[in-house]
Amino acid sequence: MSCQPLEYPFGCCTTLYRSNFKSLCAALPMIRALSTKSERSCHDRRGSRDVLSNNDRGQRGLVMIEEEVDKKCTRNGGELVGEVLKAHDIKFVFTLCGGHISPVLVACERLGIRVIDVRHEVTTIYAADAVARMSGVVGVGIVTAGPGVTNTITAIKNAQMAESPVLLIGGAAATLLKGRGSLQDIDQMSLFKPLCKYTATVEKVREIVPTLRRAIYEAASGIPGPVFVELPIDILYSYPSVSTEFVGKSSDNGLLARLLRWYLLNHVNGLFAGAFTQRNCEPIPPKITMPSNRQIQSAVEIVSRAKKPVILLGSQTTLPPVPANDVKTALESLGIPCFLGGMSRGLLGRKNPIHIRQQRRQAVHEADVVILAGAVCDFRLNYGRILNKKSKIIAVNRNIELLYLNSPAFWSPTVGIEGDVGTFVLKLCDRLKGYKCPSDWLETLRQRDAEKENKNLEMAKQPTTQHLNPIKVLYQLEECLDDNSILVADGGDFVGTAAYVLRPRGPLTWLDPGPFGTLGVGGGFALGAKLCRPDAEVWIIYGDGSSAYSIAEFDTCYRHKAPVLAIIGNDAAWSQIKRDQVPLLGSGVACDLLFSDYHTIAKGYGGVGFRIDSSNGDEAISIIKQAQAAAKEGKPAVLNVLVGRTKFREGSISI
């Protein structure tokens, strides 16, 4: 959040120099350098070219505009930002207020875009990420300069690795004051260039519209991902405000003072030249690589002869342009057993006969054909070593680097397809009409699935040394979940257990951070999901450690009428780490927490909280239903469930 004095939002330019000869001599090289740097921004009566993306140039050609400055115009650059977002069907922007970005927030509010202010800047991007995943529209976070921008870095990296289209708009120091020690002035671009598909600094008001259009286009095209646009404060306020702050009304008529005023006025005129000439704000259609007919035919020939095929689905399965429900219908038509991961969890509903949840390693090892539909051979598939070298592998991914990750070291695709996964599934189904997966193979996998599920149920009945069995608690939650529920995963051990027990109810009803393994996504993901689907019952599955990252966002959820629920598996430890650290290294240092009263935090933020432990464990289902009822009445709810240790996840990967 900006601490900039409101009376000097741009910093004071008119007091940079004293009006004496020595100062003039010292200032001339600086003015000359600044003038050279800002040459394009100077007022030019002959007109100049509007800044357009290459895509626009191909569609519309270059547009000539007269760079005239309306010095009485009270419009500001924030209004242009709002107009672009409105034209791109952006319904929510997430922010933490700051003086650098105030005009954008006010403009969005006036245009009917909901401005959701959160308690930590990292939440702006997690919430925007969730909106992008749930809606298929680019998510938007708007934060102030300096620490406001740097606080988003983890979430931006998470969006990059999860391939989520997110636009981060960051405030910045005034154009003339960059590098001069202005408040919160740092080199923001160097931080985000390695993390974002596209980065840009807008240096003139007239560049706002084309730059934002280009950024949103880049975020959604190809491999979706985050983009960053930096907006200096002086292009966001009105001409009268900026000229008053920059040029002032000094009574000093010395040579240096006049020269400085001339330069500053020239600079401000350059910022606003052609500022509000009408421009096209409409979206540029994204470009997405599609699988070729030849590649589809190669896959068809392989699958048509398969006796033991399996499909491993990853998050890309749910990306636009193909609706997730269409992918579900195609998979059901094929009848091939499917293992779901990432955002594809829930794609087939709660209890679909082709959805196999357990014993994936054995199934993949026995399969004669494996389709990696967005699934990646990283740590989740043991870097490809899980695949049988005798199997025929069809790999489909928009990202060519992930498509061939760890190949040929540990595995090799028979057919590698760089293209949209949903489109591949639909075309494969269309060309395999009449194909039926051998029923005995599917039945074998279903029997194994049922056997493992029964073992999990038996483990749920085992007593723990203290408090409640976490597996049993999760089965009780599964029994209570609404058919219209969304699950947000944010934690380690408790969430890992939940992934085996809880059954997402449908497409786009499971949100986890992705391969970055980030803790702290819960509050933002749940907020974004609830805003997109206000009728849904949104649950955060928290570990006690991870809950502390974002539990303050229950305040945000309460204020913005987005009542989410959370269940915290409280075992007073970072258990996923402690499980390995103690036997290997003989110490649990830094792994122990307390059985803290997390439920009281929810009450302090306007919600309700419940504690479930060994004293009232028999009433767990009743208490869960009380929390659900509270959420329906508009109050966020937290279930603080004290749990003990089990051997359920021994040997799980934690490093």
Side-chain angles (χ1 to χ4, degrees):
M1 181 175 176
S2 175
C3 298
Q4 192 128 348
L6 293 178
E7 61 270 30
Y8 296 109
F10 315 105
C12 187
C13 293
T14 55
T15 57
L16 287 174
Y17 309 108
R18 295 187 305 274
S19 57
N20 56 52
F21 185 73
K22 288 184 178 180
S23 295
L24 175 62
C25 293
L28 284 174
M30 183 183 301
I31 293 174
R32 196 159 45 241
L34 287 169
S35 299
T36 301
K37 178 180 178 182
S38 305
E39 187 176 2
R40 290 190 303 111
S41 70
C42 293
H43 185 58
D44 181 359
R45 296 181 183 275
R46 294 174 298 175
S48 70
R49 291 175 174 178
D50 192 8
V51 180
L52 294 172
S53 68
N54 291 333
N55 186 289
D56 282 341
R57 291 190 179 105
Q59 293 180 11
R60 302 172 54 209
L62 293 172
V63 179
M64 299 295 293
I65 62 171
E66 291 298 321
E67 291 191 348
E68 296 182 354
V69 179
D70 183 353
K71 298 182 179 181
K72 296 181 180 179
C73 179
T74 58
R75 294 194 66 193
N76 63 59
E79 295 173 21
L80 298 178
V81 176
E83 288 170 7
V84 174
L85 299 182
K86 185 74 173 179
H88 284 74
D89 199 30
I90 304 299
K91 293 181 170 57
F92 312 101
V93 296
F94 301 93
T95 191
L96 201 159
C97 63
H100 290 87
I101 56 171
S102 292
V104 179
L105 305 181
V106 172
C108 286
E109 180 189 41
R110 289 174 177 169
L111 289 169
I113 300 172
R114 283 189 66 182
V115 178
I116 310 296
D117 57 306
V118 301
R119 301 305 300 266
H120 193 291
E121 284 93 354
V122 74
T123 303
T124 64
I125 301 304
Y126 288 142
D129 186 335
V131 167
R133 299 189 198 194
M134 299 294 296
S135 68
V137 176
V138 172
V140 179
I142 305 173
V143 297
T144 197
V149 168
T150 59
N151 275 343
T152 69
I153 287 176
T154 297
I156 286 291
K157 182 62 183 181
N158 192 80
Q160 180 195 45
M161 294 187 67
E163 300 175 342
S164 292
V166 171
L167 166 63
L168 171 63
I169 295 174
T175 53
L176 196 63
L177 297 178
K178 283 195 171 185
R180 298 183 177 280
S182 180
L183 178 67
Q184 298 174 337
D185 178 26
I186 61 171
D187 180 5
Q188 299 177 158
M189 302 303 290
S190 65
L191 297 174
F192 286 92
K193 282 180 180 178
L195 306 178
C196 294
K197 294 181 63 181
Y198 173 82
T199 58
T201 298
V202 179
E203 296 179 343
K204 312 288 183 295
V205 178
R206 64 180 177 270
E207 296 173 0
I208 291 174
V209 171
T211 302
L212 287 175
R213 290 180 72 214
R214 169 73 183 277
I216 295 172
Y217 162 80
E218 294 288 353
S221 292
I223 307 160
V227 294
F228 174 59
V229 175
E230 181 184 76
L231 300 176
I233 190 171
D234 48 349
I235 69 165
L236 292 180
Y237 283 80
S238 67
Y239 181 92
S241 298
V242 175
S243 61
T244 297
E245 290 296 336
F246 270 16
V247 182
K249 297 180 180 179
S250 173
S251 59
D252 188 347
N253 289 316
L255 177 60
L256 177 59
R258 282 185 284 138
L259 183 60
L260 184 59
R261 282 199 296 273
W262 169 83
Y263 170 72
L264 293 174
L265 182 61
N266 216 31
H267 178 80
V268 174
N269 287 343
L271 292 179
F272 284 87
F276 300 105
T277 301
Q278 187 173 357
R279 289 175 175 80
N280 181 9
C281 292
E282 295 302 309
I284 305 169
K287 290 184 178 180
I288 301 170
T289 303
M290 295 295 177
S292 69
N293 289 330
R294 180 183 58 80
Q295 292 171 326
I296 297 293
Q297 187 56 37
S298 297
V300 166
E301 292 172 4
I302 291 171
V303 176
S304 64
R305 295 190 292 267
K307 302 300 181 185
K308 295 182 177 181
V310 295
I311 303 178
L312 275 57
L313 293 119
S315 295
Q316 284 190 13
T317 315
T318 64
L319 290 176
V322 179
N325 278 312
D326 290 356
V327 177
K328 174 188 176 183
T329 301
L331 291 170
E332 289 173 334
S333 176
L334 287 170
I336 297 174
C338 297
F339 292 88
L340 310 180
M343 280 293 293
S344 75
R345 291 177 186 268
L347 182 67
L348 296 172
R350 187 183 183 193
K351 292 185 178 180
N352 196 298
I354 65 169
H355 179 200
I356 311 300
R357 293 163 49 86
Q358 317 284 354
Q359 309 286 19
R360 183 182 65 178
R361 178 183 291 271
Q362 186 175 353
V364 170
H365 184 73
E366 294 178 5
D368 58 355
V369 172
V370 177
I371 301 175
L372 301 177
V376 179
C377 289
D378 56 13
F379 68 93
R380 292 167 292 186
L381 294 180
N382 197 18
Y383 310 98
R385 288 178 290 198
I386 190 176
L387 301 171
N388 191 330
K389 294 187 181 298
K390 296 180 180 179
S391 302
K392 294 186 180 298
I393 312 297
I394 302 168
V396 191
N397 203 294
R398 290 194 193 186
N399 188 330
I400 195 166
E401 293 182 2
L402 296 182
L403 176 64
Y404 293 105
L405 188 64
N406 294 310
S407 172
F410 301 125
W411 72 288
S412 293
T414 309
V415 177
I417 302 172
E418 180 188 2
D420 179 61
V421 175
T423 301
F424 166 81
V425 173
L426 262 61
K427 289 188 174 183
L428 182 69
C429 174
D430 185 61
R431 295 197 187 184
L432 279 172
K433 286 180 179 177
Y435 169 81
K436 292 293 181 184
C437 176
S439 57
D440 57 340
W441 168 239
L442 179 58
E443 185 57 31
T444 297
L445 298 186
R446 285 178 54 79
Q447 287 178 2
R448 291 178 189 166
D449 197 57
E451 290 170 3
K452 186 64 167 65
E453 189 73 29
N454 289 333
K455 289 181 180 178
N456 292 346
L457 286 167
E458 287 301 315
M459 292 194 73
K461 298 175 184 178
Q462 296 176 4
T464 54
T465 54
Q466 61 175 339
H467 299 304
L468 303 174
N469 184 317
I471 310 169
K472 180 179 179 179
V473 170
L474 288 165
Y475 272 113
Q476 290 171 321
L477 177 62
E478 166 65 20
E479 181 182 332
C480 296
L481 285 178
D482 190 86
D483 288 340
N484 189 25
S485 61
I486 297 171
L487 304 176
V488 174
D490 186 9
D493 197 66
F494 190 67
V495 168
T497 303
Y500 285 93
V501 175
L502 302 180
R503 295 174 179 266
R505 273 34 181 182
L508 301 174
T509 59
W510 174 275
L511 291 167
D512 65 27
F516 200 30
T518 315
L519 295 181
V521 302
F525 276 16
L527 174 64
K530 185 65 175 177
L531 291 170
C532 286
R533 298 254 302 272
D535 295 333
E537 186 178 277
V538 179
W539 281 90
I540 309 173
I541 316 302
Y542 270 136
D544 52 339
S546 63
S547 69
Y549 283 84
S550 67
I551 200 167
E553 300 304 343
F554 270 70
D555 168 74
T556 307
C557 292
Y558 178 71
R559 287 185 294 108
H560 289 281
K561 297 179 172 57
V564 304
L565 300 108
I567 182 169
I568 302 176
N570 184 356
D571 59 3
W574 298 92
S575 292
Q576 185 158 300
I577 306 304
K578 188 173 183 178
R579 181 187 295 109
D580 293 332
Q581 182 174 312
V582 172
L584 290 175
L585 301 174
S587 172
V589 62
C591 293
D592 291 321
L593 299 169
L594 299 173
F595 287 107
S596 299
D597 289 336
Y598 298 104
H599 55 290
T600 63
I601 298 174
K603 295 178 183 178
Y605 283 131
V608 296
F610 303 87
R611 172 175 165 138
I612 305 176
D613 56 29
S614 53
S615 68
N616 62 353
D618 293 339
E619 303 171 23
I621 290 178
S622 173
I623 296 172
I624 291 171
K625 291 180 178 180
Q626 290 180 52
Q628 291 171 311
K632 288 178 181 178
E633 294 174 358
K635 291 193 173 184
V638 168
L639 295 171
N640 180 22
V641 185
L642 277 58
V643 296
R645 312 286 167 77
T646 72
K647 296 182 179 181
F648 184 71
R649 299 190 66 243
E650 283 189 349
S652 299
I653 297 174
S654 60
I655 54 175

